[in-house]
Amino acid sequence: MTEPARPAPTGPNLLAPARPHRLTRPLLLLVLLSFIPALILTVQRVQFEQSRKAATLVMDYPALVIQARRYGLEPQALLDKYKALGVNGIALYEDTVASLQQRGEVLLKNGYDLADQFPGSSVKPNAVYMRSVVPGVAEALPPRYTIPTRTVTVGGQQWIEWPTDPSYLPAGPNKAQVDDFKRQGMVLVYRPYNDEARPIGQVGTDWPDVPFIAFTDDAVIGARTPELLDQVNKAMGQRVPAIIEGNIQDGLEDLVLEHGGVRLFAIAPSWQNQLQPEEIASKYNLAVRERSQQLLYMRPFPTINETEDMLARLQVLMKNSGIRVGLPVTTAFEPSPLLRWLSVVGPVAALLLAGLSVPLRKLGLLGAAGIFLLCVGLNYATPLAGFALIAAVSFPALGFLLRREKMTDWFLATGLSLVGVVFVSALGATRDSMLGLHPFRGVGLTLLLPLVMVAVSFLPKQDIRKTVSDVYNAPIKLGDIAVMGIGAALLLMVFSRRGNATGGSVTEFEAQLRQNVQDSMVRPRFKEVAAHPLGLLGLSGKLPGYFSALMLLGGTMGQASILNTFSHFHTPFLISAIRCFLGLGLGLLIGLALTWAFGKALELWNAYGEPRRVRA
């Protein structure tokens, strides 16, 4: 005789088959019809992005000069070394009076020193005196400012008397230097300074004819003075303003609206000196390949060898990524407003269908209305972006709301998530969002709301008050507490490490692994690789009790991460697609292996201790 097999642990079955609403097919038809204009917009976006695969390697010229002098080299000789390694751009700052003095074009004297040199002269001790070394340079400066000056004769020479130290006043471009770099074929980025002593009507009138302007400080010149900003707007001409990663300067949007923009990526010297040349090269390559940065703003390392190593490595990485070194294409992406509004129908239909697919339909419809108002309200300034957010939170949950009976339903959920991707791109990808000027508001909700929607679908079709009472009075085991704690910790980790720069930290091993992977390929998102197998395991029917529901929530996180990936519009669509499909492929393989392994482990667990059958 043999003992009967031990029964598997039982518990509440939260994965009850979904009951389709009578409006499911009509709403899905609306999604399909609206998908057509959305797909057209997405194809146009891909074509636009493929035409912009060029970047300029811009070297900060003052930093290069400092390094050259430290090694006893002429700046041009050092620049030639770096040009051979791909540098094709130079960033030039506006001259100051101090830089004119350093070049020996003017001479500045403190009033105390000049009075000591020429006793008995009418020199004011608290004034500063200037005269030309190169004829006419000093005399050309007073008309540039509103500061009152006067000309005096001291020691038989003409001096210009300044009531304040003029050393840090902006003095215009070094035209000879600009012309020299133009003859070399360099792409120039000019960095002007602002000063209140400059008359509004003169600001920008002496800017050199260069393709790009990168403003200093946290605001563009004139950001706080409308008249001055208008003057700067006029002075820009055909020049394109640079949008510095991590520093969206006040007033920049007004200039981009008129002149377009180009994304610029730079690394702070303090951070650069903590990293190896290979790491910096990897970050620059990642910026141009996956964040649409077109100006790579560089400063030399402390040593020439390190700088050369970084540039050589970057050349290899950019070539492997299909990015050429050249002049960036700065035309703007202008999607059709008509096609975008036609694309709105799909997300609204998906949200309504999600609300109708919840067992407690009144609660579902109320929740759908709340989500609609929240998404549109967060993006009130750009309403179509609100509908993109609706797509990003509705489609990841929709598949598991419609069907969740077997493992193949994972493909339905994934297919609907990919449909949602097209709507998110069509409604959210604009010139400003692709330049990073208008971040997609509510990105964090793309990871949270789908979980809430699927979790609400687990509620039984009964009075909500009874459900609350049942949950409150349910006995809790230590195992339940442990499972809830692990789930909460994983959810916290996912949210703390979302985005490109968050407070979530990574280990040194993971950081090195990430760099190695992203240097050789587009790195898939860990959330997707880890979460898709959970969804497959939850649909397998092999888990006891509420564990299937928990795994399905994990799978929902994987679907939500797909839409979250495509919600970063500065990342080229095809790069996000590669990242997405790598995550799906790896997740599917791991999920199938995990499900098979769990089934075998469960068989061994249930069979452990059973006596072997003995033949008669």
Side-chain angles (χ1 to χ4, degrees):
M1 294 180 61
T2 60
E3 294 181 2
R6 297 178 184 176
T10 60
N13 182 13
L14 299 181
L15 291 186
R19 295 183 177 87
H21 191 270
R22 58 185 177 83
L23 294 178
T24 297
R25 288 189 177 182
L27 289 174
L28 286 177
L29 179 60
L30 286 177
V31 171
L32 180 61
L33 292 175
S34 184
F35 180 78
I36 297 173
L39 183 61
I40 294 173
L41 287 169
T42 301
V43 171
Q44 291 176 348
R45 174 188 170 185
V46 171
Q47 293 172 340
F48 171 80
E49 290 171 337
Q50 289 296 100
S51 68
R52 294 163 55 91
K53 302 184 71 171
T56 298
L57 277 56
V58 181
M59 185 63 71
D60 183 280
Y61 190 67
L64 180 140
V65 170
I66 292 173
Q67 186 185 57
R69 290 173 177 169
R70 186 180 299 133
Y71 283 89
L73 297 173
E74 287 296 322
Q76 184 60 51
L78 183 58
L79 177 59
D80 289 339
K81 284 178 175 284
Y82 295 153
K83 285 168 63 177
L85 292 169
V87 171
N88 66 322
I90 283 290
L92 291 174
Y93 286 80
E94 181 176 6
D95 272 347
T96 61
V97 173
S99 58
L100 298 179
Q101 183 184 25
Q102 290 172 359
R103 291 203 301 268
E105 297 182 18
V106 298
L107 177 64
L108 290 178
K109 280 280 189 179
N110 186 286
Y112 286 101
D113 296 333
L114 196 61
D116 182 63
Q117 185 178 355
F118 300 101
S121 59
S122 59
V123 173
K124 295 180 180 179
N126 60 344
V128 176
Y129 294 82
M130 176 194 299
R131 69 177 178 86
S132 294
V133 176
V134 175
V137 175
E139 289 74 17
L141 291 175
R144 294 178 56 89
Y145 317 106
T146 57
I147 300 173
T149 62
R150 69 189 184 104
T151 302
V152 298
T153 301
V154 181
Q157 294 179 317
Q158 297 290 320
W159 294 81
I160 299 174
E161 181 185 273
W162 296 78
T164 185
D165 186 359
S167 297
Y168 298 103
L169 291 175
N174 185 337
K175 295 181 179 178
Q177 196 174 62
V178 169
D179 292 340
D180 182 38
F181 287 130
K182 281 186 175 181
R183 284 192 294 269
Q184 297 181 46
M186 303 297 285
V187 178
L188 296 183
V189 178
Y190 186 61
R191 310 208 67 184
Y193 293 116
N194 184 28
D195 195 280
E196 290 76 9
R198 186 89 160 120
I200 289 179
Q202 294 186 22
V203 171
T205 56
D206 60 356
W207 288 355
D209 182 18
V210 299
F212 304 112
I213 299 290
F215 294 95
T216 57
D217 301 322
D218 295 327
V220 306
I221 297 174
R224 296 171 180 83
T225 308
E227 298 83 4
L228 181 54
L229 188 59
D230 288 341
Q231 171 62 25
V232 171
N233 200 5
K234 294 175 184 177
M236 288 293 297
Q238 298 300 314
R239 304 173 187 91
V240 178
I243 303 167
I244 302 173
E245 174 83 353
N247 182 26
I248 304 299
Q249 298 156 308
D250 292 342
L252 188 64
E253 292 185 33
D254 296 292
L255 301 181
V256 172
L257 183 65
E258 180 74 21
H259 306 281
V262 59
R263 286 170 61 82
L264 182 150
F265 178 75
I267 295 178
S270 58
W271 185 28
Q272 175 173 311
N273 292 336
Q274 297 176 23
L275 302 175
Q276 297 299 315
E278 294 78 10
E279 295 176 288
I280 295 296
S282 178
K283 293 183 183 300
Y284 277 120
N285 180 64
L286 186 70
V288 68
R289 184 185 70 190
E290 300 186 17
R291 298 180 193 169
S292 302
Q293 304 289 350
Q294 294 179 285
L295 296 179
L296 302 184
Y297 195 101
M298 303 175 174
R299 298 177 179 88
F301 276 85
T303 69
I304 294 176
N305 287 340
E306 289 176 301
T307 309
E308 290 178 327
D309 289 344
M310 183 271 290
L311 291 171
R313 178 60 177 164
L314 179 57
Q315 284 282 82
V316 173
L317 294 177
M318 289 179 61
K319 183 178 180 180
N320 293 340
S321 300
I323 307 296
R324 62 181 177 85
V325 175
L327 183 67
V329 179
T330 57
T331 53
F333 180 61
E334 300 290 349
S336 165
L338 175 61
L339 292 179
R340 295 183 73 203
W341 280 109
L342 290 175
S343 303
V344 163
V345 177
V348 175
L351 180 60
L352 178 59
L353 181 56
L356 292 172
S357 300
V358 173
L360 299 176
R361 283 177 181 153
K362 289 184 179 179
L363 178 62
L365 291 175
L366 183 63
I371 291 173
F372 179 90
L373 295 175
L374 177 62
C375 294
V376 174
L378 282 174
N379 296 274
Y380 64 91
T382 52
L384 287 172
F387 290 101
L389 182 57
I390 290 174
V393 301
S394 302
F395 281 96
L398 191 57
F400 290 139
L401 292 175
L402 294 177
R403 284 176 54 183
R404 53 186 188 220
E405 301 173 19
K406 49 189 177 181
M407 288 183 67
T408 53
D409 291 340
W410 178 84
F411 293 96
L412 172 65
T414 300
L416 286 172
S417 294
L418 295 177
V419 169
V421 160
V422 176
F423 284 109
V424 168
S425 174
L427 294 168
T430 63
R431 178 194 62 185
D432 288 349
S433 65
M434 292 170 69
L435 288 174
L437 285 177
H438 283 298
F440 190 33
R441 295 182 181 274
V443 172
L445 296 178
T446 63
L447 298 175
L448 177 62
L449 289 182
L451 288 176
V452 174
M453 295 167 74
V454 173
V456 169
S457 74
F458 296 153
L459 296 175
K461 193 173 184 179
Q462 62 182 20
D463 192 322
I464 188 67
R465 294 171 296 179
K466 184 177 186 307
T467 301
V468 172
S469 177
D470 291 344
V471 171
Y472 180 80
N473 294 312
I476 298 180
K477 305 173 185 176
L478 288 177
D480 297 331
I481 296 175
V483 170
M484 287 188 288
I486 294 172
L490 291 174
L491 188 62
L492 180 62
M493 181 185 72
V494 166
F495 274 88
S496 68
R497 295 174 58 169
R498 71 186 190 277
N500 294 323
T502 66
S505 60
V506 297
T507 64
E508 183 177 348
F509 169 78
E510 185 179 352
Q512 185 63 44
L513 179 62
R514 284 185 176 189
Q515 180 182 323
N516 292 337
V517 172
Q518 72 189 21
D519 284 351
S520 57
M521 58 184 288
V522 177
R523 177 173 59 85
R525 302 186 79 179
F526 174 78
K527 289 190 289 290
E528 296 174 30
V529 175
H532 291 317
L534 300 182
L536 289 163
L537 185 59
L539 292 169
S540 68
K542 297 181 180 295
L543 293 174
Y546 59 80
F547 285 97
S548 292
L550 291 178
M551 293 299 102
L552 194 66
L553 288 178
T556 304
M557 178 64 73
Q559 300 297 327
S561 182
I562 294 175
L563 277 296
N564 182 267
T565 294
F566 285 89
S567 297
H568 299 89
F569 301 111
H570 57 267
T571 300
F573 185 88
L574 291 183
I575 293 295
S576 295
I578 293 171
R579 175 174 286 120
C580 165
F581 283 106
L582 285 174
L584 286 170
L586 290 172
L588 177 60
L589 293 176
I590 295 173
L592 294 175
L594 180 64
T595 302
W596 177 85
F598 184 83
K600 290 296 181 182
L602 196 61
E603 289 179 9
L604 292 175
W605 175 269
N606 291 331
Y608 179 76
E610 293 183 0
R612 297 181 179 178
R613 295 185 179 183
V614 181
R615 292 181 180 178

